[in-house]
Amino acid sequence: MVESGMKRLVVVSNRLPAALKHEDGRWTVKQGAGGLVTAMAPVLRNRGGVWIGWSGAAEPDVDVEGLLSDFSAEAGYELCTVPLTRQEVDDYYYGFSNEIIWPLFHDLQSRCRFHPRYWRAYLDVNFKFAEVVARRTTSDDYLWIQDYHLMHQAFFLKSMGVKRNTGFFLHIPFPTPDIFMKLPWRWKVIQALTEYDLLGFQTMQDRRNFVRCLRRLMPETRVEGRGAAVTVRLGNRSFRLGAFPISIDYNQFSELAGREDVARKAFELKEALRHRKIILGVDRLDYTKGIPERIRSIQTLLKRYPDLKGRVNFVQIAVPSREEVGEYKDLRQEIEQLVGRVNGEFSIPGWVPVHYHYRNLPVDELVAYYAAADIALVTPLRDGMNLVAKEYCACNNSEDGVLVLSEFAGAAAQLQRNAYLVNPYDMDGIAKALHRALHWDRDERHSSMSKLRDQVRRNNIFWWVDSFLQAGIAKTLGDFPEVET
Ligand code: ADP
Ligand code: G6P
């Protein structure tokens, strides 16, 4: 146990693990979507502490604390909400966070809308968060700020004269200077990041990109030390910098996959698909995930290898996300049309090649899909990590599945030796990889999958927390666990 065991852990993120949704005329509490929540929830369940964030509601007269109290009692840690107005949600969350930083940091700059109004709202909301954080914490706490919505927390806490030990983890990629320099507020953003005591990135490549941007904007930058975490000096100030690939609660997923009712569900899924080979895609519905390209690669597969007709199914499960942003609405339509087109082109009586589900699944159902799938097709155009890839491995207790993984997912840095790496833009390449993977023999599949599972089991979410907190709280240089990248 690291020294942080003595400190109270305070996680601060835009989204809480419980999100309020307005459905059928009333407010309900749902599990928040996405990798950040999947990864952080077991951490707080395990250690206790406080999670500060936005509830997902923008209505002034909703009793948020009341609605979340049962969730909080059951979870075993405290939830503290930061209320946001409709305008703040529009400009800071949908606007600055999801129409500027999200596309820019995923190398999709043509999708950015650099409205100055968004920037001002981002600063105002960060200040609002910092006020709540200052009020609800003490200097004995360890503050762990999560993700791109809240890059200015340490900056505002310091400007208020509030002393806290702060760490920041970026769940998404950090871009190269060519891309980052397009941000009109680049200097202020990079400067704010240097105010944290520890900055964590998903991969060494992200960390390198950050240092390159820092050197461009602050030529006085000096980097000292080697290994997973290093020290950056800027004149008489310094902070730590590290690569900490995030992960999942491996045992939770593997045990769930082994549960009798889940194994039965997996068998029923296979039976419903008449024991054909199952290729599975699971994502938040997001344009970074490469879902249209993936469906086109299935189309290519069926065109190139007609013998596969009637023998393979592609199942795509997409969870609704950011539905109020135009790009996400368009993407949903594009996917539905593509699914229709491919099914129209190839279906024969008794066989429809693509099965598409657009909904949030309960975790046991999701795990049953993972356990049933012969191949996981994980092909984001760019991704910070991609937990779906790790969840699939953890659930594959029979060790005979194949992971086909985008070379542009952060997970590729750790899993490249035993996953089948593909370029998500190369439809022919993916079709060929799928064809080969479908013909791997049992020994090949077993050998690769058991190594993948070992990797994910060892470098699980609790290992990730310990490595981050050791780097964040340990005072001496060089005292860090090896990070496998
Ligand atoms: P991101 O963080 O960008 O959403 P990740 O792959 O890292 O991408 O994490 C996605 C998380 O969302 C995973 O934990 C996955 O299990 C969950 N998820 C994805 N699709 C669904 C779905 N249809 N129903 C429930 N959970 C889902
Ligand atoms: C990614 C981001 C998270 C975000 C999640 C879901 O995982 O890194 O910060 O919470 O997507 O997106 P949402 O906008 O619904 O919070």
Side-chain angles (χ1 to χ4, degrees):
M1 176 67 76
V2 291
E3 190 192 335
S4 63
M6 312 300 292
K7 290 190 172 253
R8 186 175 70 149
L9 183 61
V10 179
V11 168
V12 187
S13 66
N14 171 64
R15 191 172 281 295
L16 283 173
L20 292 186
K21 286 237 159 112
H22 199 242
E23 284 176 343
D24 307 326
R26 63 193 191 94
W27 287 95
T28 52
V29 180
K30 300 236 159 163
Q31 166 90 13
L36 187 153
V37 167
T38 305
M40 296 309 293
V43 172
L44 274 170
R45 230 180 10 243
N46 188 256
R47 291 179 168 252
V50 185
W51 193 328
I52 299 177
W54 170 53
S55 70
E59 316 297 324
D61 46 355
V62 180
D63 171 23
V64 174
E65 304 271 337
L67 282 162
L68 295 181
S69 60
D70 284 352
F71 184 98
S72 172
E74 207 174 302
Y77 53 86
E78 210 183 312
L79 291 183
C80 166
T81 56
V82 181
L84 297 184
T85 65
R86 184 72 251 168
Q87 194 65 49
E88 286 169 338
V89 173
D90 285 348
D91 291 348
Y92 141 82
Y93 169 66
Y94 287 119
F96 188 79
S97 305
N98 289 323
E99 288 181 17
I100 298 181
I101 301 295
W102 179 268
L104 190 74
F105 282 31
H106 284 90
D107 299 352
L108 298 166
Q109 49 196 298
S110 60
R111 293 183 186 257
C112 294
R113 295 200 184 86
F114 295 111
H115 292 311
R117 180 177 91 243
Y118 291 170
W119 166 247
R120 286 193 295 272
Y122 160 81
L123 290 180
D124 290 347
V125 171
N126 266 256
F127 186 75
K128 193 176 197 178
F129 262 81
E131 283 183 316
V132 175
V133 170
R135 232 183 10 254
R136 298 292 290 250
T137 60
T138 73
S139 54
D140 289 335
D141 294 330
Y142 185 72
L143 264 54
W144 197 358
I145 320 299
Q146 309 290 322
D147 234 355
Y148 57 102
H149 319 77
L150 297 173
M151 295 180 286
H152 267 67
Q153 288 307 288
F155 173 88
F156 280 127
L157 287 169
K158 281 188 185 167
S159 69
M160 290 173 195
V162 174
K163 282 212 169 69
R164 297 286 184 271
N165 192 353
T166 56
F168 177 87
F169 185 75
L170 186 71
H171 291 249
I172 65 176
F174 197 90
T176 57
D178 293 357
I179 293 186
F180 183 76
M181 296 305 274
K182 306 221 157 86
L183 182 67
W185 310 281
R186 60 201 187 187
W187 198 87
K188 291 198 165 143
V189 166
I190 212 123
Q191 200 256 337
L193 287 172
T194 67
E195 298 293 345
Y196 286 97
D197 300 317
L198 170 67
L199 272 182
F201 296 96
Q202 296 275 23
T203 64
M204 285 294 202
Q205 189 193 345
D206 296 320
R207 191 183 101 177
R208 257 193 312 272
N209 287 346
F210 175 78
V211 170
R212 288 170 64 204
C213 293
L214 193 60
R215 288 202 162 114
R216 209 45 105 81
L217 291 163
M218 300 184 175
E220 72 273 28
T221 300
R222 296 279 170 276
V223 179
E224 292 172 4
R226 296 172 70 84
V230 293
T231 298
V232 176
R233 298 205 187 278
L234 290 166
N236 55 6
R237 288 190 307 123
S238 69
F239 64 95
R240 310 197 59 104
L241 190 63
F244 308 96
I246 202 166
S247 194
I248 55 165
D249 184 346
Y250 176 93
N251 287 339
Q252 189 205 355
F253 278 96
S254 180
E255 281 164 24
L256 200 52
R259 226 170 61 187
E260 206 188 314
D261 58 320
V262 176
R264 195 174 337 108
K265 229 177 238 166
F267 183 77
E268 285 164 6
L269 285 172
K270 286 183 189 220
E271 239 181 3
L273 296 175
R274 308 231 179 131
H275 296 276
R276 297 180 190 108
K277 293 285 180 194
I278 300 177
I279 301 172
L280 177 70
V282 174
D283 312 79
R284 257 185 328 98
L285 190 121
D286 195 291
Y287 52 75
T288 59
K289 302 293 180 182
I291 302 173
E293 290 78 359
R294 194 180 305 160
I295 298 170
R296 285 200 191 93
S297 71
I298 295 293
Q299 187 177 27
T300 309
L301 177 76
L302 296 174
K303 262 194 201 139
R304 266 177 167 257
Y305 308 102
D307 58 307
L308 289 179
K309 283 185 200 162
R311 293 175 47 215
V312 59
N313 276 113
F314 173 55
V315 179
Q316 174 65 52
I317 303 170
V319 63
S321 182
R322 306 176 195 165
E323 291 165 283
E324 293 182 41
V325 178
E327 310 243 70
Y328 288 72
K329 284 189 193 132
D330 296 346
L331 177 66
R332 182 181 170 189
Q333 266 193 1
E334 185 188 352
I335 292 172
E336 283 168 5
Q337 282 168 2
L338 264 173
V339 169
R341 202 174 310 148
V342 176
N343 282 340
E345 192 177 339
F346 297 103
S347 294
I348 49 175
W351 177 68
V352 175
V354 181
H355 291 239
Y356 172 61
H357 308 279
Y358 178 64
R359 56 176 180 268
N360 203 332
L361 295 185
V363 67
D364 54 341
E365 239 177 87
L366 182 67
V367 166
Y369 272 103
Y370 283 142
D374 297 282
I375 296 179
L377 184 54
V378 184
T379 53
L381 306 179
R382 189 87 181 87
D383 212 332
M385 178 54 56
N386 195 291
L387 295 183
V388 165
K390 294 187 174 182
E391 290 168 7
Y392 175 68
C393 298
C395 294
N396 201 242
N397 292 340
S398 57
E399 303 199 327
D400 63 357
V402 182
L403 174 62
V404 177
L405 178 63
S406 162
E407 59 189 284
F408 306 126
Q414 287 178 297
L415 306 180
Q416 58 185 327
R417 272 183 234 121
N418 296 294
Y420 206 127
L421 284 203
V422 291
N423 172 353
Y425 294 95
D426 176 6
M427 261 58 83
D428 276 341
I430 297 178
K432 265 192 225 154
L434 285 173
H435 189 252
R436 284 213 199 109
L438 283 165
H439 290 89
W440 269 12
D441 65 29
R442 163 98 189 122
D443 287 351
E444 267 174 307
R445 284 180 277 143
H446 177 75
S447 152
S448 300
M449 185 46 75
S450 65
K451 288 182 197 129
L452 286 169
R453 281 162 61 83
D454 270 356
Q455 232 282 359
V456 183
R457 186 189 302 118
R458 270 182 286 119
N459 297 333
N460 61 34
I461 190 67
F462 303 109
W463 164 88
W464 175 77
V465 176
D466 274 355
S467 11
F468 190 95
L469 294 183
Q470 271 194 39
I473 296 169
K475 298 283 180 291
T476 50
L477 276 176
D479 181 24
F480 306 109
E482 273 302 303
V483 176
E484 293 184 39
T485 53

